[in-house]
Amino acid sequence: AIDIAACRPLPDFERDVETLIEDLKATPRAPGVDEILYPGEPEARAEQAALRDGIDLPEEVAETLRRGARELGAPLPF
């Protein structure tokens, strides 16, 4: 929604965001808190894991996708 590059040089903004993340992660944690995560970090980690490891599907979902692929003549990647 905001064009950062129209407001300031993008490399400066990216550097400041990296510094903010480093400072956030270096903040002392409350007892029982293993790690401080920034918004979007869990989702980014989950995406990387899915790209690396694939996605586990219930067998009935996989079979529905296989059946649809066969009906469309599409190759079965799974």
Side-chain angles (χ1 to χ4, degrees):
I2 298 174
D3 181 3
I4 299 298
C7 301
R8 61 186 293 206
L10 197 53
D12 293 348
F13 173 77
E14 291 170 343
R15 185 184 61 250
D16 288 347
V17 169
E18 288 300 320
T19 299
L20 176 65
I21 290 171
E22 289 171 9
D23 290 347
L24 175 72
K25 290 197 166 277
T27 301
R29 295 176 297 282
V33 175
D34 295 328
E35 182 181 10
I36 297 172
L37 303 174
Y38 58 85
E41 187 175 8
E43 295 82 2
R45 288 181 180 182
E47 178 183 14
Q48 288 304 310
L51 291 170
R52 181 186 64 244
D53 305 327
I55 300 171
D56 287 331
L57 295 174
E59 184 53 38
E60 60 272 11
V61 172
E63 185 50 41
T64 298
L65 293 171
R66 286 185 201 104
R67 185 171 47 254
R70 283 192 300 270
E71 289 172 4
L72 294 171
L76 296 172
F78 51 94

